[in-house]
Amino acid sequence: MDIHHKTVVVTGAGRGIGRAVALDLARHGADVALFDLNTADLKDTAELCAAESVQAREYRVDVADEAEVSAAMSSVAADFGRLDGLVNNAGIVRDGLLVKVKDGAVVGRMSMDQWNAVIGVNLSGVFLCAREAAAHMIERGNGGVIVNISSISRVGNAGQSNYSAAKAGVESMGVVWAKELARYGIRVGSVAPGFTHTEILAAMRPEVLDKLTAPVPLKRLGRPEEIAHAVLFIFENDFFTGRCLEVDGGLRL
Protein backbone atom coordinates (compact mmCIF):
# COMPACT_ATOMS: atom_id res chain seq x y z
CA MET A 1 0.00 0.00 0.00
CA ASP A 2 1.14 3.49 -0.85
CA ILE A 3 0.13 5.19 2.41
CA HIS A 4 0.31 8.71 0.97
CA HIS A 5 -3.01 10.41 1.79
CA LYS A 6 -4.40 7.20 3.29
CA THR A 7 -6.14 7.32 6.68
CA VAL A 8 -4.76 5.11 9.44
CA VAL A 9 -6.12 4.69 12.97
CA VAL A 10 -3.49 4.17 15.68
CA THR A 11 -4.70 3.09 19.12
CA GLY A 12 -2.70 3.88 22.24
CA ALA A 13 -1.23 6.75 20.24
CA GLY A 14 -0.54 9.04 23.17
CA ARG A 15 2.99 7.91 23.88
CA GLY A 16 5.60 5.18 23.48
CA ILE A 17 5.29 2.78 20.57
CA GLY A 18 1.91 4.20 19.56
CA ARG A 19 3.27 7.72 19.20
CA ALA A 20 6.30 6.46 17.27
CA VAL A 21 4.06 4.50 14.88
CA ALA A 22 1.74 7.46 14.30
CA LEU A 23 4.65 9.81 13.68
CA ASP A 24 6.38 7.41 11.26
CA LEU A 25 3.16 6.97 9.28
CA ALA A 26 2.71 10.75 9.17
CA ARG A 27 6.27 11.25 7.97
CA HIS A 28 5.47 8.91 5.08
CA GLY A 29 2.38 10.89 4.13
CA ALA A 30 -0.49 9.13 5.92
CA ASP A 31 -3.27 11.01 7.66
CA VAL A 32 -3.66 9.66 11.19
CA ALA A 33 -6.61 9.19 13.53
CA LEU A 34 -5.27 8.94 17.07
CA PHE A 35 -7.05 6.92 19.79
CA ASP A 36 -6.13 7.09 23.47
CA LEU A 37 -7.65 7.86 26.87
CA ASN A 38 -5.03 10.46 27.83
CA THR A 39 -6.11 13.65 26.06
CA ALA A 40 -2.96 15.59 26.95
CA ASP A 41 -0.73 12.93 25.42
CA LEU A 42 -3.02 12.71 22.40
CA LYS A 43 -2.74 16.44 21.82
CA ASP A 44 1.05 16.26 21.86
CA THR A 45 1.10 13.36 19.38
CA ALA A 46 -1.38 15.13 17.10
CA GLU A 47 0.78 18.25 17.03
CA LEU A 48 3.89 16.25 16.17
CA CYS A 49 2.06 14.46 13.34
CA ALA A 50 0.43 17.62 11.98
CA ALA A 51 3.89 19.18 11.71
CA GLU A 52 4.54 16.61 8.96
CA SER A 53 1.88 18.35 6.81
CA VAL A 54 -0.77 15.65 7.21
CA GLN A 55 -4.16 15.55 8.88
CA ALA A 56 -4.04 14.38 12.49
CA ARG A 57 -7.19 14.12 14.61
CA GLU A 58 -7.60 13.10 18.24
CA TYR A 59 -10.28 10.77 19.59
CA ARG A 60 -10.65 9.93 23.27
CA VAL A 61 -11.59 6.26 23.13
CA ASP A 62 -11.71 3.37 25.58
CA VAL A 63 -10.92 0.52 23.21
CA ALA A 64 -12.53 -1.97 25.60
CA ASP A 65 -15.90 -0.20 25.24
CA GLU A 66 -17.89 -1.47 22.25
CA ALA A 67 -20.06 1.62 21.88
CA GLU A 68 -17.11 4.01 22.07
CA VAL A 69 -15.12 2.05 19.49
CA SER A 70 -18.03 1.82 17.08
CA ALA A 71 -18.78 5.54 17.37
CA ALA A 72 -15.12 6.52 17.01
CA MET A 73 -14.55 4.44 13.87
CA SER A 74 -17.67 5.93 12.30
CA SER A 75 -16.39 9.40 13.19
CA VAL A 76 -13.02 8.69 11.59
CA ALA A 77 -14.65 7.50 8.37
CA ALA A 78 -16.82 10.62 8.29
CA ASP A 79 -14.11 13.10 9.32
CA PHE A 80 -11.48 11.86 6.85
CA GLY A 81 -13.81 10.51 4.18
CA ARG A 82 -11.99 7.16 4.20
CA LEU A 83 -10.42 4.50 6.44
CA ASP A 84 -7.50 2.52 5.07
CA GLY A 85 -5.56 1.14 8.00
CA LEU A 86 -5.51 0.29 11.69
CA VAL A 87 -2.66 -0.26 14.11
CA ASN A 88 -3.90 -2.04 17.24
CA ASN A 89 -1.33 -0.85 19.76
CA ALA A 90 -3.28 0.09 22.91
CA GLY A 91 -2.32 -2.09 25.86
CA ILE A 92 -1.91 -2.19 29.62
CA VAL A 93 -0.15 -4.42 32.15
CA ARG A 94 -1.41 -5.68 35.49
CA ASP A 95 1.31 -8.20 36.34
CA GLY A 96 1.13 -10.78 39.08
CA LEU A 97 1.80 -14.44 39.77
CA LEU A 98 -1.02 -16.89 39.19
CA VAL A 99 -0.52 -17.99 42.80
CA LYS A 100 1.84 -16.26 45.22
CA VAL A 101 3.44 -18.54 47.80
CA LYS A 102 5.44 -17.72 50.93
CA ASP A 103 6.91 -20.38 53.21
CA GLY A 104 4.74 -23.03 51.61
CA ALA A 105 1.51 -21.09 52.10
CA VAL A 106 -0.57 -19.43 49.43
CA VAL A 107 -0.62 -15.72 50.24
CA GLY A 108 -2.07 -14.30 47.03
CA ARG A 109 -3.67 -14.97 43.66
CA MET A 110 -3.96 -13.05 40.42
CA SER A 111 -7.29 -11.30 40.81
CA MET A 112 -10.14 -11.28 38.34
CA ASP A 113 -9.75 -7.50 38.20
CA GLN A 114 -6.16 -7.94 37.02
CA TRP A 115 -7.22 -10.56 34.50
CA ASN A 116 -10.27 -8.73 33.15
CA ALA A 117 -8.54 -5.34 32.84
CA VAL A 118 -5.76 -6.71 30.63
CA ILE A 119 -7.96 -9.02 28.57
CA GLY A 120 -10.45 -6.17 28.09
CA VAL A 121 -7.93 -3.71 26.64
CA ASN A 122 -5.30 -5.96 25.10
CA LEU A 123 -7.53 -8.63 23.54
CA SER A 124 -11.16 -7.50 23.41
CA GLY A 125 -10.03 -3.99 22.44
CA VAL A 126 -8.06 -5.37 19.50
CA PHE A 127 -11.06 -7.44 18.43
CA LEU A 128 -13.47 -4.50 18.63
CA CYS A 129 -11.23 -2.05 16.77
CA ALA A 130 -10.44 -4.55 14.01
CA ARG A 131 -14.08 -5.56 13.61
CA GLU A 132 -15.28 -1.98 13.22
CA ALA A 133 -12.36 -0.90 11.01
CA ALA A 134 -12.77 -3.94 8.73
CA ALA A 135 -16.49 -3.24 8.33
CA HIS A 136 -15.78 0.30 7.13
CA MET A 137 -13.00 -0.87 4.81
CA ILE A 138 -15.25 -3.50 3.24
CA GLU A 139 -18.14 -1.08 2.77
CA ARG A 140 -15.86 1.43 1.04
CA GLY A 141 -14.33 -1.25 -1.17
CA ASN A 142 -10.77 0.08 -1.13
CA GLY A 143 -9.09 -2.69 0.87
CA GLY A 144 -6.80 -1.89 3.76
CA VAL A 145 -4.24 -3.06 6.30
CA ILE A 146 -4.59 -4.08 9.95
CA VAL A 147 -1.50 -4.45 12.14
CA ASN A 148 -1.72 -5.90 15.64
CA ILE A 149 1.03 -5.20 18.17
CA SER A 150 1.68 -8.48 19.93
CA SER A 151 4.72 -9.18 22.14
CA ILE A 152 7.45 -11.70 22.75
CA SER A 153 5.47 -12.41 25.94
CA ARG A 154 2.93 -14.26 23.77
CA VAL A 155 5.01 -17.42 24.24
CA GLY A 156 4.61 -17.17 28.03
CA ASN A 157 6.27 -14.88 30.54
CA ALA A 158 6.26 -15.53 34.28
CA GLY A 159 4.03 -13.12 36.16
CA GLN A 160 2.00 -12.32 33.05
CA SER A 161 -0.76 -14.90 32.66
CA ASN A 162 -3.16 -12.17 31.55
CA TYR A 163 -0.76 -10.27 29.29
CA SER A 164 0.74 -13.40 27.68
CA ALA A 165 -2.69 -14.86 26.98
CA ALA A 166 -3.85 -11.59 25.42
CA LYS A 167 -0.78 -11.16 23.23
CA ALA A 168 -0.95 -14.77 22.03
CA GLY A 169 -4.58 -14.18 21.15
CA VAL A 170 -3.74 -10.98 19.30
CA GLU A 171 -1.36 -12.83 16.99
CA SER A 172 -3.78 -15.72 16.52
CA MET A 173 -6.66 -13.38 15.63
CA GLY A 174 -4.40 -11.76 13.07
CA VAL A 175 -3.96 -15.09 11.31
CA VAL A 176 -7.72 -15.70 11.33
CA TRP A 177 -8.45 -12.24 9.93
CA ALA A 178 -5.78 -12.57 7.24
CA LYS A 179 -7.65 -15.66 5.99
CA GLU A 180 -11.11 -14.13 6.31
CA LEU A 181 -10.42 -10.66 4.92
CA ALA A 182 -8.05 -11.32 2.01
CA ARG A 183 -11.03 -11.61 -0.36
CA TYR A 184 -11.81 -7.96 0.43
CA GLY A 185 -8.29 -6.75 -0.24
CA ILE A 186 -7.50 -6.40 3.47
CA ARG A 187 -4.14 -7.63 4.71
CA VAL A 188 -3.41 -8.36 8.38
CA GLY A 189 -0.06 -8.71 10.14
CA SER A 190 1.42 -8.62 13.62
CA VAL A 191 4.57 -7.23 15.20
CA ALA A 192 5.98 -8.76 18.39
CA PRO A 193 8.35 -6.31 20.08
CA GLY A 194 10.96 -7.37 22.56
CA PHE A 195 11.95 -5.17 25.49
CA THR A 196 11.52 -1.65 24.18
CA HIS A 197 12.62 1.67 25.68
CA THR A 198 9.24 3.15 26.58
CA GLU A 199 8.20 5.18 29.62
CA ILE A 200 7.49 2.02 31.63
CA LEU A 201 10.97 0.58 31.17
CA ALA A 202 12.64 3.98 31.48
CA ALA A 203 11.36 4.17 35.05
CA MET A 204 13.06 0.92 36.06
CA ARG A 205 16.23 0.78 38.12
CA PRO A 206 19.46 0.40 36.10
CA GLU A 207 20.16 -3.04 37.61
CA VAL A 208 16.73 -4.26 36.52
CA LEU A 209 17.31 -2.99 32.99
CA ASP A 210 20.70 -4.71 32.93
CA LYS A 211 18.99 -7.98 33.85
CA LEU A 212 16.46 -7.52 31.05
CA THR A 213 19.06 -6.83 28.37
CA ALA A 214 21.57 -9.50 29.47
CA PRO A 215 19.96 -12.34 27.43
CA VAL A 216 19.43 -10.13 24.35
CA PRO A 217 22.14 -10.87 21.74
CA LEU A 218 22.25 -7.20 20.70
CA LYS A 219 22.64 -6.22 24.38
CA ARG A 220 20.23 -3.31 24.36
CA LEU A 221 16.58 -2.35 24.48
CA GLY A 222 14.70 -1.72 21.29
CA ARG A 223 13.60 1.78 20.33
CA PRO A 224 9.97 2.66 19.59
CA GLU A 225 11.07 3.92 16.19
CA GLU A 226 12.37 0.44 15.32
CA ILE A 227 8.99 -1.09 16.09
CA ALA A 228 7.34 1.63 14.01
CA HIS A 229 9.61 0.73 11.08
CA ALA A 230 8.34 -2.87 11.22
CA VAL A 231 4.75 -1.63 11.16
CA LEU A 232 5.50 0.52 8.13
CA PHE A 233 7.00 -2.50 6.35
CA ILE A 234 3.74 -4.42 6.73
CA PHE A 235 1.75 -1.49 5.35
CA GLU A 236 4.01 -1.06 2.33
CA ASN A 237 4.62 -4.72 1.40
CA ASP A 238 1.54 -5.88 -0.49
CA PHE A 239 2.58 -9.57 -0.34
CA PHE A 240 2.73 -9.68 3.45
CA THR A 241 -0.23 -11.05 5.40
CA GLY A 242 -0.98 -13.45 8.24
CA ARG A 243 2.52 -13.41 9.70
CA CYS A 244 4.19 -11.96 12.79
CA LEU A 245 7.45 -9.99 12.73
CA GLU A 246 9.57 -10.45 15.85
CA VAL A 247 11.58 -7.31 16.61
CA ASP A 248 13.39 -8.37 19.74
CA GLY A 249 17.15 -7.97 19.23
CA GLY A 250 17.45 -11.74 18.82
CA LEU A 251 16.06 -12.54 22.28
CA ARG A 252 14.16 -15.62 21.08
CA LEU A 253 16.94 -17.07 18.88
Side-chain angles (χ1 to χ4, degrees):
M1 174 188 284
D2 178 359
I3 65 171
H4 231 75
H5 303 304
K6 299 296 196 302
T7 297
V8 182
V9 173
V10 181
T11 72
R15 59 174 65 186
I17 291 173
R19 175 178 287 180
V21 167
L23 189 53
D24 199 37
L25 292 169
R27 284 171 175 159
H28 286 81
D31 296 322
V32 288
L34 310 170
F35 287 14
D36 207 300
L37 282 173
N38 189 314
T39 55
D41 287 344
L42 266 182
K43 184 175 184 297
D44 290 342
T45 301
E47 289 176 352
L48 289 169
C49 292
E52 300 298 326
S53 300
V54 301
Q55 289 189 68
R57 293 178 180 261
E58 310 152 44
Y59 301 82
R60 187 188 183 281
V61 184
D62 178 356
V63 298
D65 186 295
E66 183 176 14
E68 287 193 21
V69 170
S70 180
M73 287 294 180
S74 293
S75 293
V76 170
D79 292 343
F80 289 87
R82 60 186 305 135
L83 203 171
D84 306 283
L86 165 68
V87 181
N88 270 313
N89 168 74
I92 61 172
V93 292
R94 298 288 187 272
D95 293 351
L97 296 173
L98 180 68
V99 179
K100 187 176 181 180
V101 180
K102 183 177 181 180
D103 299 327
V106 174
V107 296
R109 296 170 172 82
M110 176 174 280
S111 71
M112 284 305 298
D113 285 344
Q114 287 172 288
W115 175 267
N116 288 332
V118 171
I119 295 299
V121 174
N122 297 19
L123 187 62
S124 297
V126 170
F127 161 76
L128 289 171
C129 288
R131 186 190 70 183
E132 296 305 306
H136 283 284
M137 292 175 189
I138 291 168
E139 288 172 350
R140 292 175 181 274
N142 297 318
V145 177
I146 297 171
V147 179
N148 295 334
I149 302 300
S150 181
S151 168
I152 56 167
S153 295
R154 75 194 192 286
V155 298
N157 192 35
Q160 292 190 316
S161 294
N162 46 10
Y163 188 80
S164 293
K167 290 302 186 180
V170 162
E171 182 187 350
S172 182
M173 288 192 301
V175 175
V176 173
W177 301 338
K179 294 177 179 180
E180 292 181 353
L181 300 176
R183 71 190 70 179
Y184 307 110
I186 300 172
R187 295 184 294 105
V188 186
S190 300
V191 176
F195 299 122
T196 306
H197 196 280
T198 60
E199 288 83 354
I200 294 175
L201 290 189
M204 290 183 176
R205 299 190 307 275
E207 60 270 25
V208 176
L209 289 177
D210 288 342
K211 187 175 181 179
L212 284 179
T213 56
V216 179
L218 293 184
K219 298 301 179 185
R220 67 172 176 86
L221 299 174
R223 296 189 297 272
E225 294 77 14
E226 292 168 323
I227 310 306
H229 186 65
V231 172
L232 182 66
F233 166 80
I234 295 175
F235 268 88
E236 293 187 332
N237 190 320
D238 290 331
F239 201 53
F240 186 97
T241 196
R243 299 296 184 182
C244 181
L245 296 178
E246 294 188 342
V247 188
D248 61 2
L251 179 60
R252 292 195 61 234
L253 290 176

